[in-house]
Each structure stands twice: as structure tokens, then as C-alpha cells.
Amino acid sequence: MRSEANGVIGLVLAAGQARRFGADKRLARLSDGHGVLETTLRVAASVFSELVLVLRSDDQLSDYRLPPNVRVVHAARAEHGMGASLADGVTAIHAQPARAIAVLLGDMPWISTATLAQLAQAATEDGIVQPCHMGRPGHPVLFGRQFWPQLRALDGDKGGSALIARHPTAHVLINVTDPGSHLDVDVPSDLASAPEPAGFHTPASP
């Protein structure tokens, strides 16, 4: 599926504090025994040939099972919120040649590879692409290169939603059949209650 994602960089945000979860949810185990962040990365890595992971400055890489060739960015302003982490991540890659970035959340391991490939194929330099399942917008959101300077200027806890509101004509919703575009891990009970969407598979461990 990587051929559909040529020119799109996957940017995985995993620098949050996870206060509602009560522990480091990135290391929490899903029903198949794989970690939340580990699975998110493996799914994304099977689609995006360029994958960047944004972590906090005090995170230890040895704690996470990272797929090969994942570039790690430590967000210096992670404590300011998701918007600041996103800005730090985009700043670290802004010089790379790509038409768009796919902003993925590290606690959403159930998004299907087919959805990621479909979104990447629709990405343009001047568009903002987002999946929509049963009338509800989801994740990830793909921002064309035109919007990277505005992403780099973000701060605080507000992410890319402000850009979507500011540029409604550039915003394109792609209908998908993937409930995983909505499913995230906020509290421990989410680990057991979230169903696996049709067509989802966890790539095998190396």
C-alpha cells in the first residue's frame, strides 16, 4: 500500500500526559498482547514509507517497540499541549520534500491500513483531507504542504482543528467504512471494549 502514500509523511503524536488513563497508555496492551503505540506505529509503517514519531523530551526509546526506520522527534514544548507538540513535529520535518503530512494520534491503533492508503491517495499540497465514517469526521487528518507554516505556529492544546475551521473550502471529507477512525484509548476499559473494524489486521511482529 505504500505506493498510494508516496509523497505523504506519517506524523504520529504521542507526547501527551494521558492523565485520564492513569498510567502510560502508550505501553498498555491490547487484546492481542501488542502495545497501543506499538500497534499504531506498525499499522502506519505499513502504509507510510516516511514515519515520524513525536515523543516527550524525557521519554526513553528503549521503552517502546519501534518499527525500523521510524524517526523520533522529542517535542520540547510537549507540556504546552497537543498543538505545541504538533508544531514541534512539523518544524522538524518541514524541509523534507512531501506534498502532505498525515497527523495520526498514538492512541488510535484500530485505524485500518486501507483507510490510511485511501486518504494518502487523496492528499494534495493545497488540501486538508479527513476521513468520515457514518457522518462523523475522524482521524487521521492530512494537511497539504501549503498549511505547514500555520501548523508550525500552533501552541497550547489546540491542534489542527483551528486550521480546518479557518479553511473550510480546502477541507475534504472522505467517506470510509472504518469505525477505527473514531476509536481511541482514553481509559483502561477502552482496551477491552473497542471492537476490531472489518478488514483490520495487526502486522506481524518482526
Side-chain angles (χ1 to χ4, degrees), residues 1 4-5 7-8 20 31 41 46 49 53 62 81 84 101 109 112 119 124 127 129 144 178 186 188 190 194-195:
M1 292 187 181
E4 288 91 342
V8 179
R20 290 182 59 192
S31 59
L41 290 170
S46 69
S49 57
L53 172 64
S62 58
I101 54 172
S112 75
L119 296 170
T124 63
V129 176
D178 179 12
D186 281 332
D190 292 333

Side-chain angles (χ1 to χ4, degrees), residues 149-196:
Q150 295 178 61
L151 291 174
R152 294 178 64 191
L154 292 173
D155 200 356
D157 201 38
K158 291 186 178 180
S161 58
L163 270 69
I164 295 175
R166 197 181 306 155
H167 302 283
T169 59
H171 185 211
V172 178
L173 289 173
I174 303 295
N175 288 319
V176 299
T177 59
D178 179 12
S181 61
H182 299 150
L183 299 176
D184 61 356
V185 178
D186 281 332
V187 295
S189 60
D190 292 333
L191 297 171
S193 61
E196 289 189 351

Side-chain angles (χ1 to χ4, degrees), residues 9-21:
I9 299 172
L11 183 67
V12 181
L13 302 182
Q17 298 295 326
R19 293 184 176 90
R20 290 182 59 192
F21 193 84

